[in-house]
Amino acid sequence: MSHHVWSDRTAFIREPQAAAEVLRVLDIPRLDTYHNAVAQATGVDLSALQRLTRNTLMEMPPEDHLKVRRVIAPFFSRAGMAGWRDLVRHASEEVAESLEAIDEPDLVRDYCVPLFLRTIPEIIGLDLPQETAYFDAVVTAQRLTEPYLSVSALKSLNAAVALLADCFTQPRDDDPEGRPKTLRAYLHERQADLPDRLDPDFFVLGMLVGSNTITQSLAFACHGLLSGPPEDWAAAAIPGSAQIAPQRLLGLYQSTRTLVRVAPSPVEAGGCPYSAGETAVVDIVDANTCLRAQTGNPTAHMSFGSGAHKCPGAFLSETILDIAIPVLARRYPDMILEPERCRFVQTPMMQAPIAMPCTLRQDSRRKSARLCDIRDLPSAGQVLRDDATFAPPPMESHLRVLAQESGQDFDTAVLVARNAMFFMEGPRHTALRAALARDFDAAMLAEWAPRIDTAIDQALDGLVQAKKPDLVAGFSEPLRLNGVAPVLGVHSPDRARFDAVAPGLQEVLEPWLSMRHLTRVQACFAEALSLMQDPAPNETPRSLLAALLANPPEDFSPDDLRAVVLVLYGASFNLSHTLANIVLWILSRPAEERQNARDPAWIDDNLEALIARYSGPKYIYRQARADRRVGDLHLRMGDTARLAVHALNRGCPAGAGHLSFGKGLHRCVGARLSREIIRKAIPALFTRFPGLAPLAQAHRYHAMSQTVALSTLPCALTS
Amino acid sequence: MSAVVDKNALIDSELFQFLRAQVVKRSRIPAESVTPDAALSDLGLQSIDAVLLCGEVESKFDVEIDPIEIFEHETVGDFVQTLLDRIGT
């Protein structure tokens, strides 16, 4: 069996009954024959690995397999697991508390992994040192079931198993403080009922290695709950709430993606004939989706397989998730993830987070001598309401002094800063806002509606043609190019060159740019300005730039107005980022929930909540013009207040009053256009492609410090 | 003993001497007050000073510095050591 087994997704088995039958009738592919062949052919010592493989349920002959299953069934039953709940709760609370002392906590490294090390070995009966090296050995050994591993991979598996096998030697008091009997102690007690050739210690080691899927599913479930509405994480704090029913989470966030079986002899299963040696791939993710739809039961799943080889660890997984998630959610109700810094591992067989950096609490704090992070709404409200004290950085004056002191030419940067609305204040700002209220209003957008609809349809048509459909390159980006640029009046005879330069416009001018960085940003704006061509004065519908040039606000030259519109175009990248982030979240929901996105009424009801959670911009900056107390912080004149938008938005129920478009004098003038495009684009996308599905964990982010911006979001148009 | 030697080596470094001259030029701080132990936040540097000072160091020592880094270090010595390490690599 090799990697080509997964090459044809259309051949995967998704229908639950057929999947269950295939899992029951066909066999698990033999691993020992491959390991033995490699050992003989290369002379490499794989003895530890072979000994482990021989003692796994997968490799046992049927009669031994049945014997072992009967012996371990009581131990792994729900009743059998009940005795371990106190251990799991105590460990969860201890590990959750330990997060407080960690500077940049990560939920995988600092919660799920330590929790595994403190619970599973205890339950199983191994004295595993609480060290990362031992957990890494478990993760390495867990690759046991991957087909056709390389010789070097098999050697590292063998070393990992040998390291773990040393943990038997330490003497172990099998019943400290009245806890239930460990699996190891239980098996030694039931030795007579076990097959003679079974080596119980290596069987127990196999169970330890297999149990790592619990760590992965726990992390995956936390990622899912923390990526959704704040209400999901709030509900997670309530033990027993439906939101976090372990079986529902195990159905949605099971790390297993596919299970592979092989026909031992010519046989029929799931309505298909199989010749001897032929393989079948069961798609667990889709099978679970079908099962929920067929039964109407949101907790129905087959994540642990079916039939004789059904994973025995279902109730152990349930116990861990049932306790560990509420403990974490209760202790850190305001915890948030940074989606763009989360990392996943993914193979055709499994997927799981391997990094989940998080912020435990949303209290404002001083980050450096000059920068304060504002993460609580009262403090943010004070900063945003007090325009006199907290204003955007005075970029124009900053750049003029910089040019004078350094002798460098920053004329273009000054031109841009002078006409960037988020830096402006005073009469010019007031005049420009009035002009935009006149020329960039609902009526103007209504005239452009047909063009925006056409841009959406063209993008959807383009996706159909694409060999590898990508919802950034093929959807959110084209909507900015063909949906926003014309409305703003941004045209260029050298469109290719302009579009190549344009991403640089996202570099927000800020007082802390280094001289080199500032020079690069200025060059980008200068070239973009030089590539711009004014729209025809009598074009219809009339673009913003055409309207402004025809009726300029006071103290704005044509060059000023071109800079105004170019800065707005740079800011409109955030529309593409926000749209793509929203689509990614919808795609990460179960298939039955994705259907909601087809309904314009659903998007209307959820638009503000979606923008609040998934908007591109991460921060709003304000500079203190005087010393001022803000909550517990003392800001000095010249200090920068950095408002953490997504942290603050979690305090806005259903997105009401969110900060994604800013507030007050400097609220985003592109908000109406952004809402219009998102409101239309999402139902159109999911109506056109009802079977739209993500390629699991294939999305990637731009390395941008100021914005959550996807660089790629590959998808399957029909799943 | 090594801490004293390191400090003297730091003071004698061309970077420290250059940085001290730039700080003196942009703030009202006398040269003798600009020591490795001097707190950066006490030097009275505004954002513009930080950008200009870092710009000068960037040009002379061909190293890119985010001006905000100045204020992420406690003392002048810490900041200089970070730059020396960065230039070294």
Side-chain angles (χ1 to χ4, degrees), chain A residues 368-371 397-398 401-402 405-406 511-517 520 623 636-638, chain B residues 26 41 44-48 50-52 55 58-59 62-68 71-72:
Chain A
S368 79
R370 276 291 180 224
L371 181 67
S397 58
H398 172 81
V401 172
L402 210 56
E405 292 268 336
S406 67
W512 297 107
L513 287 190
S514 72
M515 296 288 274
R516 290 182 174 192
H517 195 163
R520 284 196 301 266
Q623 197 169 58
R636 292 186 299 269
M637 190 178 76
Chain B
R26 301 197 182 292
S41 53
L45 293 174
Q46 294 303 315
S47 57
I48 196 130
V51 171
L52 287 165
E58 278 181 332
S59 307
D62 191 24
V63 58
E64 182 139 353
I65 313 164
D66 186 341
I68 202 126
F71 295 105
E72 286 172 351

Short mmCIF file of all heavy atoms in Angstrom, two decimals, chain A residues 368-371 397-398 401-402 405-406 511-517 520 623 636-638, chain B residues 26 41 44-48 50-52 55 58-59 62-68 71-72:
data_model
loop_
_atom_site.label_atom_id
_atom_site.label_comp_id
_atom_site.label_asym_id
_atom_site.label_seq_id
_atom_site.Cartn_x
_atom_site.Cartn_y
_atom_site.Cartn_z
N SER A 368 6.47 48.40 25.98
CA SER A 368 7.87 48.89 25.99
C SER A 368 7.83 50.31 26.50
O SER A 368 6.76 50.85 26.82
CB SER A 368 8.45 48.88 24.58
OG SER A 368 7.99 50.00 23.85
N ALA A 369 8.98 50.92 26.53
CA ALA A 369 9.04 52.28 27.08
C ALA A 369 8.13 53.23 26.30
O ALA A 369 7.75 54.29 26.80
CB ALA A 369 10.49 52.78 27.03
N ARG A 370 7.78 52.88 25.06
CA ARG A 370 7.00 53.82 24.24
C ARG A 370 5.67 53.26 23.76
O ARG A 370 4.91 53.95 23.09
CB ARG A 370 7.83 54.17 22.98
CG ARG A 370 8.83 55.29 23.24
CD ARG A 370 8.11 56.58 23.45
NE ARG A 370 9.01 57.70 23.70
CZ ARG A 370 8.80 58.60 24.66
NH1 ARG A 370 7.76 58.47 25.46
NH2 ARG A 370 9.60 59.62 24.84
N LEU A 371 5.38 51.97 24.05
CA LEU A 371 4.20 51.33 23.45
C LEU A 371 3.35 50.65 24.50
O LEU A 371 3.85 49.89 25.34
CB LEU A 371 4.68 50.27 22.42
CG LEU A 371 3.60 49.51 21.67
CD1 LEU A 371 2.83 50.44 20.74
CD2 LEU A 371 4.23 48.37 20.85
N SER A 397 4.04 65.95 9.95
CA SER A 397 5.08 66.76 10.62
C SER A 397 6.30 65.89 10.93
O SER A 397 7.45 66.33 10.78
CB SER A 397 4.50 67.36 11.91
OG SER A 397 4.04 66.31 12.76
N HIS A 398 6.04 64.65 11.31
CA HIS A 398 7.15 63.71 11.60
C HIS A 398 8.05 63.58 10.37
O HIS A 398 9.28 63.68 10.47
CB HIS A 398 6.56 62.36 11.99
CG HIS A 398 7.56 61.26 12.15
ND1 HIS A 398 8.33 61.07 13.27
CD2 HIS A 398 7.95 60.28 11.27
CE1 HIS A 398 9.13 60.03 13.11
NE2 HIS A 398 8.93 59.54 11.90
N VAL A 401 10.13 66.82 9.53
CA VAL A 401 11.31 66.98 10.40
C VAL A 401 12.37 65.94 10.03
O VAL A 401 13.57 66.24 9.94
CB VAL A 401 10.90 66.82 11.89
CG1 VAL A 401 12.15 66.80 12.78
CG2 VAL A 401 9.95 67.94 12.30
N LEU A 402 11.91 64.72 9.74
CA LEU A 402 12.84 63.65 9.37
C LEU A 402 13.62 64.05 8.11
O LEU A 402 14.83 63.87 8.03
CB LEU A 402 12.03 62.37 9.11
CG LEU A 402 12.71 61.03 9.39
CD1 LEU A 402 13.22 60.96 10.82
CD2 LEU A 402 11.76 59.88 9.11
N GLU A 405 16.07 66.89 9.04
CA GLU A 405 17.19 66.45 9.89
C GLU A 405 18.12 65.49 9.15
O GLU A 405 19.32 65.47 9.38
CB GLU A 405 16.62 65.73 11.12
CG GLU A 405 15.85 66.61 12.09
CD GLU A 405 16.77 67.17 13.19
OE1 GLU A 405 17.83 66.57 13.47
OE2 GLU A 405 16.41 68.24 13.73
N SER A 406 17.52 64.68 8.27
CA SER A 406 18.36 63.65 7.62
C SER A 406 18.88 64.11 6.26
O SER A 406 19.75 63.48 5.68
CB SER A 406 17.53 62.37 7.42
OG SER A 406 16.50 62.64 6.48
N PRO A 511 5.13 56.05 12.69
CA PRO A 511 6.31 56.81 13.15
C PRO A 511 7.52 55.96 13.44
O PRO A 511 8.63 56.45 13.55
CB PRO A 511 5.80 57.50 14.43
CG PRO A 511 4.59 56.78 14.84
CD PRO A 511 4.00 56.18 13.61
N TRP A 512 7.32 54.65 13.55
CA TRP A 512 8.46 53.84 13.94
C TRP A 512 9.14 53.12 12.77
O TRP A 512 9.99 52.25 12.98
CB TRP A 512 8.01 52.79 14.97
CG TRP A 512 7.53 53.45 16.22
CD1 TRP A 512 6.25 53.57 16.65
CD2 TRP A 512 8.32 54.14 17.19
NE1 TRP A 512 6.18 54.26 17.82
CE2 TRP A 512 7.45 54.64 18.18
CE3 TRP A 512 9.69 54.40 17.31
CZ2 TRP A 512 7.90 55.36 19.26
CZ3 TRP A 512 10.13 55.11 18.39
CH2 TRP A 512 9.24 55.60 19.36
N LEU A 513 8.76 53.47 11.52
CA LEU A 513 9.45 52.81 10.39
C LEU A 513 10.92 53.22 10.37
O LEU A 513 11.25 54.40 10.57
CB LEU A 513 8.80 53.22 9.07
CG LEU A 513 7.42 52.63 8.73
CD1 LEU A 513 7.08 52.96 7.27
CD2 LEU A 513 7.36 51.14 8.96
N SER A 514 11.80 52.26 10.11
CA SER A 514 13.22 52.62 9.99
C SER A 514 13.40 53.43 8.71
O SER A 514 12.56 53.41 7.80
CB SER A 514 14.08 51.35 9.92
OG SER A 514 13.90 50.72 8.67
N MET A 515 14.51 54.13 8.62
CA MET A 515 14.77 55.00 7.45
C MET A 515 14.75 54.15 6.17
O MET A 515 14.17 54.54 5.15
CB MET A 515 16.13 55.67 7.60
CG MET A 515 16.22 56.62 8.79
SD MET A 515 15.28 58.13 8.53
CE MET A 515 16.51 59.10 7.67
N ARG A 516 15.34 52.96 6.25
CA ARG A 516 15.39 52.09 5.05
C ARG A 516 13.99 51.65 4.65
O ARG A 516 13.60 51.66 3.49
CB ARG A 516 16.23 50.84 5.36
CG ARG A 516 17.70 51.14 5.52
CD ARG A 516 18.48 49.87 5.76
NE ARG A 516 19.91 50.15 5.77
CZ ARG A 516 20.84 49.20 5.73
NH1 ARG A 516 20.48 47.93 5.69
NH2 ARG A 516 22.13 49.51 5.74
N HIS A 517 13.22 51.26 5.69
CA HIS A 517 11.86 50.77 5.43
C HIS A 517 11.02 51.91 4.84
O HIS A 517 10.31 51.75 3.84
CB HIS A 517 11.27 50.30 6.76
CG HIS A 517 10.05 49.46 6.61
ND1 HIS A 517 9.55 48.66 7.62
CD2 HIS A 517 9.19 49.32 5.58
CE1 HIS A 517 8.46 48.05 7.21
NE2 HIS A 517 8.21 48.45 5.97
N ARG A 520 11.71 52.48 1.27
CA ARG A 520 11.06 51.46 0.40
C ARG A 520 9.58 51.78 0.22
O ARG A 520 9.04 51.70 -0.88
CB ARG A 520 11.22 50.07 1.04
CG ARG A 520 12.59 49.45 0.90
CD ARG A 520 12.57 47.95 1.18
NE ARG A 520 12.10 47.61 2.53
CZ ARG A 520 12.90 47.43 3.58
NH1 ARG A 520 14.21 47.62 3.45
NH2 ARG A 520 12.41 47.09 4.76
N GLN A 623 -1.57 58.17 19.22
CA GLN A 623 -0.41 58.67 19.96
C GLN A 623 -0.87 59.67 21.01
O GLN A 623 -1.76 60.50 20.75
CB GLN A 623 0.58 59.34 18.99
CG GLN A 623 1.97 59.51 19.59
CD GLN A 623 2.99 59.92 18.54
OE1 GLN A 623 2.81 60.96 17.90
NE2 GLN A 623 4.02 59.12 18.34
N ARG A 636 2.56 58.49 28.72
CA ARG A 636 3.26 59.77 28.68
C ARG A 636 3.10 60.37 27.28
O ARG A 636 2.89 59.64 26.30
CB ARG A 636 4.76 59.57 28.98
CG ARG A 636 5.05 59.14 30.40
CD ARG A 636 6.56 59.13 30.64
NE ARG A 636 7.19 58.17 29.72
CZ ARG A 636 7.40 56.89 30.04
NH1 ARG A 636 7.00 56.43 31.21
NH2 ARG A 636 7.98 56.07 29.17
N MET A 637 3.24 61.65 27.18
CA MET A 637 3.19 62.32 25.88
C MET A 637 4.17 61.63 24.93
O MET A 637 5.31 61.34 25.31
CB MET A 637 3.58 63.80 26.02
CG MET A 637 3.33 64.60 24.75
SD MET A 637 3.74 66.33 24.95
CE MET A 637 5.54 66.24 24.87
N GLY A 638 3.70 61.31 23.74
CA GLY A 638 4.56 60.64 22.75
C GLY A 638 4.42 59.13 22.78
O GLY A 638 4.82 58.43 21.85
N ARG B 26 21.27 64.44 19.76
CA ARG B 26 19.80 64.57 19.65
C ARG B 26 19.11 64.82 20.98
O ARG B 26 17.91 65.00 21.02
CB ARG B 26 19.20 63.27 19.05
CG ARG B 26 19.76 62.97 17.71
CD ARG B 26 18.99 61.99 16.90
NE ARG B 26 19.71 61.79 15.65
CZ ARG B 26 19.85 62.73 14.72
NH1 ARG B 26 19.28 63.91 14.91
NH2 ARG B 26 20.55 62.51 13.64
N SER B 41 14.96 54.80 28.37
CA SER B 41 13.76 55.66 28.47
C SER B 41 14.07 56.98 29.15
O SER B 41 13.27 57.91 29.08
CB SER B 41 12.67 54.91 29.24
OG SER B 41 13.21 54.47 30.47
N GLY B 44 15.22 60.72 26.93
CA GLY B 44 14.37 61.78 26.38
C GLY B 44 14.26 61.74 24.87
O GLY B 44 14.02 62.75 24.20
N LEU B 45 14.45 60.53 24.28
CA LEU B 45 14.38 60.42 22.81
C LEU B 45 12.91 60.36 22.37
O LEU B 45 12.13 59.55 22.90
CB LEU B 45 15.10 59.15 22.35
CG LEU B 45 16.63 59.12 22.55
CD1 LEU B 45 17.17 57.75 22.18
CD2 LEU B 45 17.29 60.20 21.70
N GLN B 46 12.52 61.17 21.42
CA GLN B 46 11.18 61.06 20.82
C GLN B 46 11.25 60.10 19.63
O GLN B 46 12.35 59.71 19.21
CB GLN B 46 10.73 62.45 20.34
CG GLN B 46 10.52 63.44 21.49
CD GLN B 46 9.51 62.94 22.51
OE1 GLN B 46 8.43 62.42 22.15
NE2 GLN B 46 9.89 62.99 23.79
N SER B 47 10.08 59.79 19.06
CA SER B 47 10.08 58.80 17.97
C SER B 47 10.99 59.28 16.84
O SER B 47 11.74 58.50 16.25
CB SER B 47 8.65 58.59 17.46
OG SER B 47 8.10 59.81 17.03
N ILE B 48 10.95 60.58 16.57
CA ILE B 48 11.75 61.08 15.45
C ILE B 48 13.25 60.89 15.72
O ILE B 48 14.02 60.50 14.84
CB ILE B 48 11.42 62.56 15.16
CG1 ILE B 48 11.93 62.95 13.79
CG2 ILE B 48 11.97 63.49 16.22
CD1 ILE B 48 10.90 63.63 12.96
N ALA B 50 14.52 58.60 17.59
CA ALA B 50 14.81 57.16 17.50
C ALA B 50 15.00 56.78 16.03
O ALA B 50 15.95 56.07 15.68
CB ALA B 50 13.66 56.37 18.11
N VAL B 51 14.11 57.28 15.16
CA VAL B 51 14.20 56.93 13.73
C VAL B 51 15.50 57.47 13.13
O VAL B 51 16.24 56.76 12.43
CB VAL B 51 12.98 57.49 12.96
CG1 VAL B 51 13.17 57.32 11.46
CG2 VAL B 51 11.69 56.80 13.43
N LEU B 52 15.83 58.73 13.46
CA LEU B 52 17.03 59.33 12.89
C LEU B 52 18.29 58.65 13.40
O LEU B 52 19.20 58.30 12.64
CB LEU B 52 17.07 60.83 13.24
CG LEU B 52 16.06 61.69 12.45
CD1 LEU B 52 15.89 63.07 13.09
CD2 LEU B 52 16.51 61.83 10.99
N GLY B 55 18.62 55.40 11.86
CA GLY B 55 18.98 55.59 10.45
C GLY B 55 20.48 55.79 10.28
O GLY B 55 21.12 55.21 9.38
N GLU B 58 22.14 52.48 10.93
CA GLU B 58 21.89 51.60 9.78
C GLU B 58 22.90 51.89 8.67
O GLU B 58 23.52 50.99 8.11
CB GLU B 58 20.47 51.82 9.25
CG GLU B 58 19.38 51.10 9.99
CD GLU B 58 18.00 51.37 9.37
OE1 GLU B 58 17.79 52.44 8.75
OE2 GLU B 58 17.13 50.48 9.49
N SER B 59 23.04 53.18 8.37
CA SER B 59 23.89 53.56 7.25
C SER B 59 25.35 53.23 7.55
O SER B 59 26.06 52.66 6.71
CB SER B 59 23.75 55.07 6.97
OG SER B 59 22.39 55.38 6.80
N ASP B 62 25.51 49.19 8.30
CA ASP B 62 24.81 48.32 7.34
C ASP B 62 24.00 47.23 8.08
O ASP B 62 24.18 46.02 7.89
CB ASP B 62 25.80 47.64 6.38
CG ASP B 62 25.01 46.96 5.23
OD1 ASP B 62 23.86 47.43 4.99
OD2 ASP B 62 25.50 45.99 4.64
N VAL B 63 23.15 47.72 8.96
CA VAL B 63 22.29 46.77 9.69
C VAL B 63 20.92 47.41 9.79
O VAL B 63 20.80 48.62 9.95
CB VAL B 63 22.86 46.50 11.12
CG1 VAL B 63 22.99 47.80 11.93
CG2 VAL B 63 21.98 45.51 11.87
N GLU B 64 19.83 46.61 9.58
CA GLU B 64 18.48 47.20 9.64
C GLU B 64 17.95 47.12 11.06
O GLU B 64 18.06 46.09 11.71
CB GLU B 64 17.52 46.48 8.67
CG GLU B 64 16.12 47.09 8.65
CD GLU B 64 15.49 47.19 7.25
OE1 GLU B 64 16.15 46.92 6.23
OE2 GLU B 64 14.30 47.55 7.18
N ILE B 65 17.46 48.24 11.56
CA ILE B 65 16.96 48.30 12.95
C ILE B 65 15.55 48.87 12.92
O ILE B 65 15.29 49.88 12.29
CB ILE B 65 17.83 49.26 13.80
CG1 ILE B 65 19.33 49.00 13.60
CG2 ILE B 65 17.47 49.15 15.28
CD1 ILE B 65 20.19 50.14 14.10
N ASP B 66 14.65 48.21 13.62
CA ASP B 66 13.32 48.76 13.81
C ASP B 66 13.42 49.73 14.99
O ASP B 66 13.72 49.31 16.12
CB ASP B 66 12.35 47.59 14.16
CG ASP B 66 10.92 48.10 14.24
OD1 ASP B 66 10.74 49.33 14.39
OD2 ASP B 66 9.99 47.27 14.15
N PRO B 67 13.19 51.00 14.74
CA PRO B 67 13.42 52.01 15.79
C PRO B 67 12.74 51.67 17.12
O PRO B 67 13.25 51.99 18.18
CB PRO B 67 12.85 53.29 15.18
CG PRO B 67 12.96 53.09 13.71
CD PRO B 67 12.74 51.62 13.48
N ILE B 68 11.58 50.99 17.04
CA ILE B 68 10.89 50.70 18.29
C ILE B 68 11.73 49.77 19.17
O ILE B 68 11.58 49.73 20.39
CB ILE B 68 9.50 50.09 18.02
CG1 ILE B 68 8.59 50.29 19.25
CG2 ILE B 68 9.56 48.62 17.68
CD1 ILE B 68 7.31 50.96 18.95
N PHE B 71 13.32 50.95 22.41
CA PHE B 71 12.57 51.04 23.69
C PHE B 71 12.17 49.67 24.22
O PHE B 71 11.46 49.55 25.19
CB PHE B 71 11.35 51.94 23.50
CG PHE B 71 11.75 53.36 23.20
CD1 PHE B 71 11.63 53.87 21.92
CD2 PHE B 71 12.33 54.15 24.18
CE1 PHE B 71 12.03 55.16 21.63
CE2 PHE B 71 12.74 55.45 23.90
CZ PHE B 71 12.60 55.95 22.62
N GLU B 72 12.64 48.64 23.49
CA GLU B 72 12.37 47.29 24.03
C GLU B 72 13.57 46.78 24.80
O GLU B 72 13.62 45.62 25.18
CB GLU B 72 11.99 46.37 22.85
CG GLU B 72 10.56 46.68 22.34
CD GLU B 72 10.20 45.94 21.06
OE1 GLU B 72 11.11 45.32 20.46
OE2 GLU B 72 9.03 46.02 20.64
#
